[in-house]
Structures are given as C-alpha cells and as structure tokens.
Amino acid sequence: MKLAWLPIALLLAAAPVAAERADRDKPAVIDFDKAVTDDLNQVSVFTGKVRLTQGTLVLTGERMEVRKDPEGYASAVVLAPPGGVATYRERLDPRTPGVEETVEAQGDRLEYDERSDTLKIVGRALVKTFEAGKPKDEASGDSIVYNMLKRTVTVDGKPASGDGRGRLILPPKASPSAAPAAAPLKPAPATGK
C-alpha cells in the first residue's frame, strides 16, 4: 500500500527552491475524512476538510487530487469548501539573513505544478507576501500564477476587484523618520601632532 501515497510524496519531495529548504526533509501529514488512491493511474484523492502540513507548508481545502505524470512530475488540485477558500501558506528561504519571509495564497481552486514550480490560484485569487511578519505585497484578481522558484506573480484581473481589473498593493518604504535617530557625531580626539 506504500505506492498509494507515492504521488503525494513526489509532490512534496520536489518543493521549490524559494520555499524553506528544511520543509523537504520533514514528514508530510495529510488529514482528511476520506482518501481514494489508484496506484495504476498514479492518482490520490482526499476529501473532507483536507489539510496537508509539511514543515512550514500548509495547504487546506475540501478536496485535493494529486497526480503523477508518466515522466514522474506531480501536480495537485485543491478545491475550496462551499462558501470558503482553499489556502496555501509557506515560509520562504530568506533573502536577507534573519528576516523571515512568508507567502500566503487563497482562492476557489489551487493548482500546483511540480514541472514548472508554479501555483495557480483561480477564482477570488489572492496572494500576500510578508517580511518579518509585516505585509510586503498583495495581488488579487480572477486568477494568479505564482512562480515559486522566481518569486514572480502574474495576475489576470477579471472580477475579483469588482470592476474587471486586478489589483497590486505595494506598501511604501519605511520613511527616514521611522528609522532610529543616529547619535550626534563627536569630533575625533586630538592626536597631538
């Protein structure tokens, strides 16, 4: 029966480079109400309050279908519960040492493609990034493609904002007045020359 879990294991083993590398070495835990696996076709379907956790990565939805193609690449589709959203959250490897970065996404449908290291969010799509726990960027639209490796976002701005347009919110840089005041300069001591 170990082969029944092969598609989900392959999906998780190939975590994107930008995601926290340590997540790949952690066990994947999937909670669900029901699971059906098809070893011959390399498909696993989980239903009922599905929650996948692996390290800092968390995927939630009402239904998750994981497939492995003939070349060994995995893909997953996560559907939202009625009236809710499917969610994705993961800590990223920091670009600045000591500064934690995370990404969160939600929508009616999440589509992960291992081959291209992309997460496509469809229907009421929203992606937010955080740096040191503070909002950094936010994108919304009808669909969003998040390239996990390159950390790029492509937004199709259909109805999510109500006017058929996408939206990107970029917070301002911290103002110089927000920085701590520098200590006043003191003259250098006389050298006696």
Side-chain angles (χ1 to χ4, degrees):
M1 192 65 177
K2 276 190 174 182
L3 286 178
W5 301 102
L6 185 61
I8 194 72
L10 289 171
L11 171 72
L12 298 169
V17 172
E20 185 159 283
R21 294 174 198 267
D23 286 349
R24 287 182 254 169
D25 299 328
K26 303 225 167 95
V29 177
I30 306 167
D31 296 309
F32 52 86
D33 292 338
K34 182 178 179 182
V36 176
T37 62
D38 179 343
D39 291 340
L40 183 61
N41 293 306
Q42 295 294 292
V43 179
S44 296
V45 178
F46 306 91
T47 56
K49 299 177 189 168
V50 180
R51 180 182 177 90
L52 180 146
T53 305
Q54 184 180 30
T56 67
L57 178 133
V58 178
L59 275 172
T60 67
E62 183 60 25
R63 181 179 191 275
M64 179 186 301
E65 181 174 314
V66 181
R67 294 181 173 272
K68 180 185 163 200
D69 71 19
E71 295 169 6
Y73 291 99
S75 63
V77 175
V78 182
L79 300 178
V85 290
T87 66
Y88 162 85
R89 183 179 199 287
E90 186 166 22
R91 186 168 55 215
L92 304 173
D93 278 337
R95 290 183 256 198
T96 305
V99 178
E100 182 177 291
E101 294 181 66
T102 57
V103 63
E104 294 179 1
Q106 67 179 40
D108 294 330
R109 176 184 175 106
L110 305 179
E111 301 172 4
Y112 173 73
D113 182 359
E114 176 187 6
R115 180 186 301 265
S116 62
D117 275 331
T118 57
L119 177 68
K120 183 175 183 179
I121 305 100
V122 180
R124 300 181 295 155
L126 177 65
V127 173
K128 293 181 181 182
T129 59
F130 298 85
E131 192 172 85
K134 295 179 182 175
K136 184 177 174 190
D137 303 314
E138 179 177 313
S140 62
D142 185 54
S143 69
I144 298 174
V145 177
Y146 175 57
N147 183 311
M148 299 167 154
L149 186 61
K150 296 177 183 176
R151 293 190 187 185
T152 60
V153 175
T154 304
V155 181
D156 181 359
K158 294 211 170 104
S161 65
D163 62 1
R165 299 172 53 89
R167 174 169 284 170
L168 182 62
I169 300 172
L170 304 169
K173 288 184 177 183
S175 66
S177 63
L185 294 176
K186 296 181 182 175
T191 60
K193 289 187 177 180

